[in-house]
């Protein structure tokens, strides 16, 4: 069943379906060694990768497995990055959260704001019960974003992937519907006892 890719608005951001015109900005984002340093895939070197990424975004919606949204700043339309809910399973009411932002804009709360918007859509529209997210254990900034929006660190996948030729551990985070708080409600930072 297809998923209608939404257009979401926050105080500073607009999240929308990708267009072909986003390819250049997307290539610059994923071509950055700094942005991709904790990813399990190397920086892009061919601009055609951006076109394939956009095609996958459209296929996610058509297949009914999720939505990946371009994030832009309201004030000037600047490309900020993307935020997504993928691996949507309507039977188990679960999905995975992911995001990637331009490094010049890190530390300004944009990832938290975008994640809140996508999670609200997921819980309200897709009727999710659980959202999972993963991050390299060295990526403490991403872990803080997840905790700010209410995720609990549930465990560590030891030596789960190879990042830049190095074996790396991955933290697994989970957010349950009953623990979800909209952006205007403060979220206490919680950690699982096993962390």
């Amino acid at each position: 069943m297809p998923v209608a890719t939404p257009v979401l608005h926050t105080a500073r951001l607009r999240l929308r379906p990708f267009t072909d015109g986003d390819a250049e900005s997307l290539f610059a984002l994923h071509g950055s060694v700094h942005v991709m340093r904790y990813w399990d895939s190397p920086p892009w070197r061919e601009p055609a990768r951006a076109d394939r990424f956009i095609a996958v975004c459209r296929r996610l919606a058509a297949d009914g497995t999720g939505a990946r949204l371009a994030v832009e700043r309201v004030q000037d339309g600047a490309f900020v990055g993307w935020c997504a809910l993928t691996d949507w399973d309507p039977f188990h009411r679960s999905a995975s959260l992911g995001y990637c932002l331009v490094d010049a804009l890190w530390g300004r709360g944009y990832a938290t704001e975008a994640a809140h918007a996508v999670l609200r859509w997921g819980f309200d529209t897709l009727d999710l019960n659980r959202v999972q997210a993963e991050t390299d254990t060295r990526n403490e900034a991403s872990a803080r974003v997840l905790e700010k929006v209410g995720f609990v660190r549930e465990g560590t996948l030891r030596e789960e992937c190879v990042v830049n030729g190095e074996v790396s551990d991955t933290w697994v985070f989970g957010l349950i519907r009953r623990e979800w708080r909209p952006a205007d409600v403060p979220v206490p930072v919680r950690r699982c006892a096993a962390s």
Side-chain angles (χ1 to χ4, degrees):
M1 179 174 81
V3 174
T5 304
V7 175
L8 307 173
H9 298 272
T10 71
R12 300 180 298 163
L13 303 173
R14 184 169 89 105
L15 292 78
R16 56 164 177 77
F18 275 96
T19 68
D20 293 338
D22 295 315
E24 187 176 332
S25 297
L26 192 56
F27 178 66
L29 174 67
H30 281 267
S32 167
V33 172
H34 188 240
V35 169
M36 300 300 287
R37 73 186 186 278
Y38 296 126
W39 289 69
D40 58 357
S41 60
W44 294 353
R45 294 293 165 242
E46 308 84 31
R49 290 286 304 269
D51 297 323
R52 291 196 298 269
F53 183 96
I54 292 169
V56 169
C57 294
R58 292 177 179 140
R59 193 166 42 252
L60 286 171
D63 293 348
T65 56
R68 192 178 285 143
L69 303 166
V71 180
E72 63 186 15
R73 215 166 29 199
V74 171
Q75 74 181 42
D76 58 5
F79 181 82
V80 173
W82 58 264
C83 191
L85 278 178
T86 58
D87 302 320
W88 180 42
D89 183 332
F91 181 78
H92 293 289
R93 298 172 47 217
S94 64
S96 295
L97 176 74
Y99 45 84
C100 186
L101 274 67
V102 173
D103 55 349
L105 301 175
W106 290 354
R108 300 183 188 187
Y110 290 134
T112 302
E113 197 170 323
H116 266 296
V118 169
L119 289 167
R120 183 185 296 267
W121 173 72
F123 286 118
D124 292 351
T125 303
L126 300 181
D127 192 32
L128 294 176
N129 182 60
R130 174 184 167 80
V131 180
Q132 184 166 306
E134 298 176 1
T135 188
D136 187 296
T137 56
R138 297 168 297 178
N139 193 347
E140 293 178 10
S142 186
R144 281 193 304 274
V145 167
L146 294 171
E147 290 172 342
K148 283 180 194 174
V149 296
F151 280 82
V152 173
R153 188 168 25 161
E154 297 176 334
T156 303
L157 301 175
R158 297 178 307 139
E159 299 187 6
E160 194 258 341
C161 61
V162 177
V163 176
N164 294 320
E166 295 180 31
V167 175
S168 177
D169 295 342
T170 300
W171 280 327
V172 177
F173 290 82
L175 176 59
I176 307 299
R177 179 186 195 90
R178 70 177 178 273
E179 298 170 349
W180 161 246
R181 301 292 178 267
D184 53 345
V185 177
V187 178
V189 173
R190 305 175 310 277
R191 285 200 169 78
C192 229
S195 295

